[in-house]
């Protein structure tokens, strides 16, 4: 690697256009939002920058705290489901014969290449009142109904007079499920990377010494791979908080993520300073999570040396 | 991930681990419950998408039961002017984005690989920022920026797409830079030095030695930039005006009103394009082989 002084002309020619683009069309817009977050809304599009912290204080009002709490809860539930479902899949890929691995990883990645919006839309067809889950349930109900009639119990309406479809869409459950479906591969990949690196003799030792598979997992595998789990949790949880289109398509009136609140401030409610403050709070949370991951990764390296 | 069975004759690879060997303690992939779990997970992952695609060919207005094969919803989508407009917008943006983002990304990758300079760590941090921050934060930032600088919104057709294109370039060129830099790691700088010893100028060495070596990385980066742009919903949603709808934004507004096979058809088209482009990108980005440093 050369010092830039050795060849300033080449350095500047290569550097100039990407840097200019990054500054003009990324850093400046972000800085603008940061400045806006300290402003007050005066007119329709008029914002006076007064250095006020009111926008941040407003985020702490009970109304918004309640929304954030629910939002965090939905995203956290989804992240937990991803983690629980992700470990077996990561395990299966890591322990698969080498010739299968690329195909299994590919199979995991392909749905992920598909537009996240389209994947969310695909869930509607599965879960709506006249969707596949309810069709399956109706079929089971029909079978049970004829069985009861056959047994002579048809008159008692033990399972209701008619099949009542489950309302699976337009609630918080659907939103959590949508998040799981959208971000699942994000969880599996860091888990896989960590399980793959794991020294298997530890597991063999644990199994040889009489621990069962569960005990081996919780006492050996998880303590050795939890930083992979942490990476996965961070890269599922944080984007999930901002994914405003998932509640828009799958959620009910009261299911909103932080992204929905931000989106509303910039579009319908037209309160840019408050939206700016919220989006910077989300950014600070992201930075905090990334710093945490870096610290954990650094400490782990320190231990290995 | 590399398979180290290269030296084993093909016929022997399958026989190395006999099929019916007793189940070892760590043979998790051969346990039925593990197979079942993984099969169910993959089924859940694929079933919704496959049904979506299948029902774009279904000869029934309602997406419920199969009534026979038809292409009429593709025809309908094709004759839906606003849908075609959105698609044209998306493709135009993606093409220009790919051209500009690839150039910027390659330049950034080369200079970060080649030079040491004060504040480099911070610079690299800013460079990956568009990749790591939540999309919605970038979306609202671009929206506020274009409104604040008074970016004209009433220009005639391709020019009204500039604000979206600018935003797309800003988030996709760092991805290109990351991919190209990964390729540069395997580059043997002695080749460049040899060219210079033989009298090549900096530019000549870059053009004839570095760029040809980088070609697969550049192609992969360009394909990724293309898919990122074509696929992007969140950032476009905030920068698009009423006349500059892209395909994902159009699909979003259609889906909010109703679930129709026409949407399935439009989605299927987008799925096919992005999956093919990404698969090609993965091929070009295949892990650097050892021999590469000797190629020219």
């Amino acid at each position: 690697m050369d010092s830039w002084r050795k060849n300033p002309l080449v350095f500047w020619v290569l550097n100039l256009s990407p840097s200019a683009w990054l500054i003009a069309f990324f850093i400046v817009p972000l800085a603008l939002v940061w400045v806006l977050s300290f402003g007050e809304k005066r007119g329709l599009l008029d914002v006076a920058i007064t250095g006020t912290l009111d926008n941040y204080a407003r985020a702490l009002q009970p109304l918004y705290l309640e929304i954030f709490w629910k939002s965090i809860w939905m995203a956290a539930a989804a992240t937990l489901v991803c983690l629980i479902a992700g470990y077996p899949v990561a395990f299966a890929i890591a322990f698969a014969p080498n010739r299968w691995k690329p195909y299994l990883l590919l199979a995991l990645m392909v749905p992920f290449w598909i537009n996240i919006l389209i994947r969310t839309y695909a869930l509607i067809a599965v879960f709506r009142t006249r969707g596949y889950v309810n069709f399956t349930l109706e079929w089971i109900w029909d079978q049970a109904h004829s069985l009861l009639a056959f047994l002579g119990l048809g008159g008692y309406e033990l399972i209701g007079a008619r099949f009542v479809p489950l309302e699976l869409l337009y609630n918080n459950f659907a939103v959590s499920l949508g998040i799981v479906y959208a971000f699942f591969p994000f969880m599996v990949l860091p888990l896989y990377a960590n399980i793959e690196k794991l020294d298997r003799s530890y597991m063999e030792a644990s199994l040889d010494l009489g621990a069962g598979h569960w005990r081996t997992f919780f006492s050996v595998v998880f303590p050795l791979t939890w930083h992979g789990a942490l990476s996965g949790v961070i890269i599922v949880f944080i984007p999930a908080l901002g994914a405003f289109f998932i509640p828009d398509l799958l959620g009910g009136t009261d299911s909103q993520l932080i992204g929905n609140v931000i989106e509303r401030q910039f579009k319908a409610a037209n309160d840019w300073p408050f939206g700016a403050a919220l989006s910077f709070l989300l950014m600070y949370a992201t930075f905090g999570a990334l710093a945490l991951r870096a610290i954990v990764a650094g400490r782990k390296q320190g231990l290995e040396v | 991930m590399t398979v180290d069975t290269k030296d084993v004759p093909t016929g022997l690879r399958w026989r190395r681990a006999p099929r019916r060997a007793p189940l070892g303690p760590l043979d998790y992939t051969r346990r039925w419950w593990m197979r079942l779990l993984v099969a169910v997970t993959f089924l859940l992952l694929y079933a919704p998408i496959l049904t979506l695609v299948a029902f774009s060919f279904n000869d029934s207005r309602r997406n419920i039961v199969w009534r026979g094969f038809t292409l009429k919803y593709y025809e309908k989508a094709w004759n839906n002017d606003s849908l075609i407009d959105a698609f044209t917008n998306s493709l135009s943006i993606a093409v220009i984005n790919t051209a500009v983002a690839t150039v910027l990304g390659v330049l950034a990758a080369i200079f970060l690989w080649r030079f040491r300079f004060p504040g480099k760590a911070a610079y690299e941090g800013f460079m990956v920022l568009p990749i790591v921050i939540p999309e919605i934060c970038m979306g609202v930032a671009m929206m506020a920026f274009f409104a604040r600088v008074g970016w004209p919104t009433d220009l005639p057709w391709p020019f009204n797409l500039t604000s979206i294109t600018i935003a797309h370039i800003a988030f996709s060129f760092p991805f290109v830079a990351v991919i190209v830099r990964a390729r540069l790691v395997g580059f043997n700088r002695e080749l460049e030095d040899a060219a210079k010893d033989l009298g090549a100028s900096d530019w000549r060495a870059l053009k004839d030695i570095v760029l040809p070596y980088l070609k697969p990385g550049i192609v992969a980066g360009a394909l990724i930039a293309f898919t990122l742009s074509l696929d992007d919903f969140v950032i476009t949603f905030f920068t698009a005006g009423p006349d500059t709808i892209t395909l994902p934004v159009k699909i979003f507004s259609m889906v909010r009103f109703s679930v129709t096979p026409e949407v399935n058809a439009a989605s299927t088209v987008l799925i096919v394009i992005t999956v093919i482009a990404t698969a090609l990108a993965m091929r070009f980005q295949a892990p650097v082989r050892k021999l590469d440093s000797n190629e020219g």
Side-chain angles (χ1 to χ4, degrees):
Chain A
M1 209 179 288
D2 306 334
S3 166
W4 71 281
R5 280 175 214 284
K6 201 175 142 196
N7 212 335
L9 179 71
V10 177
F11 175 75
W12 283 112
V13 168
L14 291 173
N15 170 349
L16 208 61
S17 41
S19 301
W21 202 286
L22 195 68
I23 292 168
F25 299 122
F26 183 68
I27 309 289
V28 169
L30 276 190
L32 175 71
V33 173
W34 188 74
V35 171
L36 276 179
S37 73
F38 298 103
E40 269 173 52
K41 192 182 165 213
R42 287 284 157 78
L44 198 60
L45 271 174
D46 203 19
V47 175
I49 309 299
T50 51
T52 171
L53 288 173
D54 282 358
N55 298 310
Y56 291 95
R58 220 175 120 195
L60 297 176
Q61 281 174 3
L63 170 69
Y64 289 103
L65 280 183
E66 200 183 316
I67 294 177
F68 295 155
W69 175 243
K70 226 192 227 165
S71 166
I72 288 171
W73 201 87
M74 276 193 287
T79 311
L80 189 69
V81 173
C82 281
L83 186 66
I84 293 169
Y87 253 110
V89 175
F91 244 82
I93 301 178
F95 284 88
N98 275 339
R99 62 175 183 277
W100 291 2
K101 273 183 202 172
Y103 299 107
L104 285 170
L105 282 171
L106 195 68
L108 183 72
M109 290 305 293
V110 169
F112 188 57
W113 298 346
I114 294 167
N115 194 307
I116 198 163
L117 193 69
I118 294 179
R119 279 183 286 148
T120 310
Y121 164 61
L123 284 183
I124 296 179
V126 177
F127 289 108
R128 63 195 163 141
T129 333
R130 298 201 48 76
Y132 305 107
V133 171
N134 272 319
F135 279 135
T136 314
L137 291 175
E138 188 171 9
W139 183 83
I140 294 171
W141 188 90
D142 278 344
Q143 301 306 310
H145 189 72
S146 9
L147 182 71
L148 287 177
F150 178 73
L151 295 174
L153 298 166
Y156 300 104
E157 295 186 354
L158 288 175
I159 51 174
R162 326 188 3 245
F163 171 72
V164 184
L166 294 178
E167 298 294 335
L168 297 164
L169 272 186
Y170 312 121
N171 52 42
N172 296 347
F173 165 78
V175 175
S176 287
L177 215 69
I179 296 173
V180 172
Y181 192 56
F183 296 105
F184 182 66
F186 270 147
M187 179 64 83
V188 180
L189 293 177
L191 283 180
Y192 162 75
N194 272 280
I195 295 172
E196 177 71 31
K197 276 188 292 183
L198 181 72
D199 186 346
R200 285 174 199 178
S201 47
Y202 290 131
M203 293 175 69
E204 277 164 359
S206 162
L207 291 169
D208 272 355
L209 293 170
H213 288 285
W214 284 107
R215 178 108 191 263
T216 304
F217 178 80
F218 285 108
S219 316
V220 178
V221 179
F222 188 73
L224 287 171
T225 54
W226 69 271
H227 39 272
L230 180 73
S231 285
V233 166
I234 289 172
I235 53 180
V236 170
F237 183 70
I238 299 277
L241 288 177
F244 67 91
F245 50 90
I246 296 179
D248 266 2
L249 295 181
L250 303 177
T253 43
D254 69 334
S255 29
Q256 344 180 32
L257 294 167
I258 294 173
N260 297 76
V261 187
I262 298 177
E263 186 250 357
R264 207 167 43 235
Q265 304 311 317
F266 276 89
K267 294 246 169 170
N270 198 22
D271 188 347
W272 291 18
F274 183 47
L278 290 178
S279 83
F280 259 86
L281 287 176
L282 186 57
M283 290 248 281
Y284 295 142
T286 314
F287 294 147
L290 291 175
L292 179 72
R293 192 171 66 162
I295 290 168
V296 167
R299 209 167 51 194
K300 188 182 165 257
Q301 258 173 9
L303 281 176
E304 274 175 356
V305 170
Chain B
M1 231 173 65
T2 43
V3 188
D4 56 5
T5 49
K6 246 181 275 167
D7 310 325
V8 185
T10 331
L12 289 178
R13 270 185 222 165
W14 290 82
R15 257 167 250 157
R16 269 221 315 209
R19 282 259 133 153
R20 296 282 163 213
L23 207 61
L26 291 183
D27 275 346
Y28 286 110
T29 350
R30 288 177 57 202
R31 286 172 200 279
W32 67 268
W33 51 268
M34 189 62 123
R35 289 187 171 181
L36 185 73
L37 256 173
V38 173
V40 168
T41 314
F42 276 111
L43 183 75
L44 292 177
L45 220 50
Y46 277 88
I49 303 167
L50 292 180
T51 32
L52 181 147
V53 172
F55 279 90
S56 72
F57 299 107
N58 183 22
D59 195 6
S60 155
R61 186 83 209 135
R62 308 174 70 186
N63 273 346
I64 301 166
V65 266
W66 185 258
R67 296 224 187 280
F69 182 87
T70 177
L71 285 175
K72 72 177 175 194
Y73 295 107
Y74 287 86
E75 205 184 313
K76 231 174 152 181
W78 181 254
N79 291 325
N80 180 338
D81 285 339
S82 62
L83 202 59
I84 290 298
D85 282 350
F87 190 50
T88 319
N89 285 345
S90 274
L91 282 180
S92 318
I93 294 167
V95 168
I96 299 168
N97 169 69
T98 309
V100 182
T102 309
V103 173
L104 293 178
V106 171
L107 290 175
I110 294 178
F111 100 81
L112 284 172
W113 162 75
R114 172 117 184 235
F115 292 108
R116 229 175 319 124
F117 56 92
K120 187 173 176 183
Y123 188 94
E124 285 179 306
F126 274 114
M127 188 80 187
V128 296
L129 216 51
I131 301 179
V132 298
I133 66 166
E135 274 186 296
I136 189 168
C137 297
M138 179 149 180
V140 298
M142 298 313 289
M143 178 186 182
F145 172 75
F146 287 120
R148 210 65 194 188
V149 298
W151 199 269
T153 50
D154 49 357
L155 297 169
W157 181 69
F159 302 104
N160 57 4
L161 303 174
T162 39
S163 54
I164 302 177
T165 315
I166 286 172
H168 282 198
I169 294 167
F171 77 75
S172 59
F173 93 83
F175 280 93
V176 179
V178 168
I179 292 167
V180 173
R181 241 188 127 181
R183 171 97 189 154
L184 271 169
V185 170
F187 180 65
N188 183 357
R189 273 207 79 178
E190 286 163 12
L191 291 174
E192 202 191 352
D193 292 341
K196 284 188 194 159
D197 280 349
L198 293 169
S201 66
D202 271 318
W203 302 117
R204 189 80 200 279
L206 188 72
K207 191 171 78 83
D208 288 347
I209 308 292
V210 182
L211 287 184
Y213 171 80
L214 282 182
K215 212 166 139 197
I218 296 174
V219 175
L223 285 162
I224 291 295
F226 181 80
T227 11
L228 282 173
S229 167
L230 197 66
D231 245 0
D232 178 72
F233 165 67
V234 175
I235 292 163
T236 317
F237 178 74
F238 285 101
T239 37
D243 300 324
T244 52
I245 302 289
T246 64
L247 190 56
V249 177
K250 178 73 191 168
I251 290 177
F252 179 69
S253 62
M254 285 170 92
V255 168
R256 281 180 99 173
F257 289 114
S258 62
V259 181
T260 63
E262 216 178 328
V263 183
N264 291 30
S267 306
T268 305
V269 172
L270 193 58
I271 290 175
V272 169
I273 298 176
T274 49
V275 168
I276 290 176
T278 318
L280 283 175
M282 299 284 279
R283 265 194 81 93
F284 279 106
Q285 211 197 342
V288 186
R289 284 154 292 152
K290 271 193 196 135
L291 271 175
D292 277 4
S293 48
N294 299 329
E295 283 171 4

